[in-house]
Amino acid sequence: MIDVDAVRGETAGCQKLAHINSAGSSLPPDVVVNAAVEYLQTEAITGGYRIADSRMDDLNRVYRAGARLLGCREDELAFGSGAGEAWWRAFTSIPLGPGDTVLTGRSEYVANGVGLIQAQRRGINLEIIENDASGQLDVARLLARLEDRGASPVKLVCLTHVPMTSGLVNPIEAVGPAIKKAGALFLLDACQAAGQLPLNVDELACDFLAFTGRKWLRGPRGTGMLYVRREVMQQLSDPIFVDGRSTTWTADDDYELAPDATRFEFGETNFGGKVGLGVAIEYAVDLGIESIQKRVAYLSDRLRAELPTISGIDVYDQGVNKCGIVTFTKAGTAPVDVVAALRAQGINLAAPGARNSYFDLGSAGIDAVVRASPHYFNTDDELDLLLDALRQL
């Protein structure tokens, strides 16, 4: 069980506002802020190269922590600026050509969706697997497509574990083994899952997994990681963007890629953020991801139960299994106006729109939704504050 008072005492932002927007950017614990700031302050005194050489163990902490989080090897992880960069580095390393078939779902974020559309314009065959009646990924339809010997073989499947626009949790664990059996690669966006749901790359049977630091892991902005299964690295093309960290320059006309996931990194990066993300992941893992999941489920379930009792509120959340994202609309008030009115009262929410997730919201004719995303440090009193504010709108 999480000691909520203790974690709130370790989070300066909890004293200032009701931050119910961890699906956007969460409040980092003080220990994360202190680690990142201390590194930057030391860098200002000693110089960037000198501190990096002397603090290599602190910089490598992120790989050790990430391996604990995902159940993988440290050398299967690359650090970067966020989930979007991680997804793109993976996607552009997968050898796809005209006529190759890629499957995706309705939950993709804008960065992923635009990348898939760009590839479609270059000749790949992009197929969207529709949702089932509950609103989540239709597993039966996906499995049938993978097993259809009369259709073009599937080379890649790109899916999102938790969409940014709904509380549903896609049944990813039900599709990974079938994707592998079909001989396709599996790229999973776990941006909204990492830090609130247990993740194990072997159980998920994914070849790539991207996540960010700033959301449920409560790390610094501008941080994230990419997992790449070691066994598939030899099947990949060279990453489009490489430098002296990701390669060794060996001749006038040749270079060698790093043998591990370092090939997906740049030498220049957010070093202070890297230290902070390692601390943030350890903080979450030490608290216990299962304990975090239970606390978040309690808070979000309470919101989903009480929001419909408020006049004009319609909850949008879909799927069978749900998580810490609660999305809704209020009749007669645009989502951005709801968010602005709440922010004026010290309550942070968000209003993602169709431009962020057109496969989902746009295709359904929904312009935007209000999104509440309580984390384990939020309290019942803060939920009461939110619910009362919505009643008064």
Side-chain angles (χ1 to χ4, degrees), residues 18-37:
H19 187 81
I20 314 177
N21 187 27
S22 287
S25 184
S26 193
L27 298 177
D30 297 342
V31 65
V32 172
V33 176
N34 293 340
V37 170

Side-chain angles (χ1 to χ4, degrees), residues 283-363:
Y283 188 95
V285 174
D286 289 344
L287 274 179
I289 301 298
E290 289 80 7
S291 295
I292 292 172
Q293 181 184 24
K294 290 178 182 177
R295 173 70 182 170
V296 171
Y298 161 73
L299 294 168
S300 55
D301 286 348
R302 186 188 160 202
L303 277 182
R304 270 187 286 269
E306 296 192 34
L307 280 169
T309 68
I310 300 174
S311 177
I313 295 266
D314 287 315
V315 175
Y316 176 69
D317 289 349
Q318 303 179 80
V320 175
N321 296 315
K322 298 180 177 65
C323 63
I325 295 176
V326 183
T327 51
F328 60 93
T329 57
K330 183 167 178 61
T333 309
V336 292
D337 293 332
V338 173
V339 169
L342 294 172
R343 185 172 293 178
Q345 301 180 56
I347 306 169
N348 284 354
L349 268 66
R355 66 186 302 274
N356 305 114
S357 185
Y358 191 86
F359 285 167
D360 178 9
L361 294 183
S363 64

Side-chain angles (χ1 to χ4, degrees), residues 78-200:
F79 173 80
S81 66
E85 180 194 346
W87 188 94
W88 270 93
R89 285 186 179 273
F91 183 67
T92 54
S93 73
I94 299 167
L96 296 171
D100 286 336
T101 295
V102 177
L103 305 184
T104 192
R106 285 281 173 196
S107 297
E108 298 304 291
Y109 180 60
V110 57
N112 315 1
V114 169
L116 293 167
I117 292 169
Q118 285 188 356
Q120 185 180 40
R121 291 175 177 174
R122 294 194 298 269
I124 72 158
N125 175 35
L126 178 63
E127 299 180 21
I128 299 176
I129 302 298
E130 298 297 339
N131 295 330
D132 63 19
S134 76
Q136 69 184 19
L137 177 74
D138 192 326
V139 173
R141 186 174 296 182
L142 175 60
L143 298 184
R145 176 60 184 86
L146 290 169
E147 296 167 1
D148 187 352
R149 297 184 181 277
S152 60
V154 176
K155 191 159 187 179
L156 172 67
V157 180
C158 298
L159 297 174
T160 291
H161 202 159
V162 175
M164 65 170 297
T165 54
S166 171
L168 77 87
V169 179
N170 276 316
I172 297 301
E173 69 284 347
V175 301
I179 295 171
K180 183 176 182 180
K181 182 179 179 181
L185 293 173
F186 182 15
L187 170 54
L188 179 62
D189 181 341
C191 185
Q192 293 289 0
Q196 70 154 324
L197 301 177
L199 296 173
N200 182 286

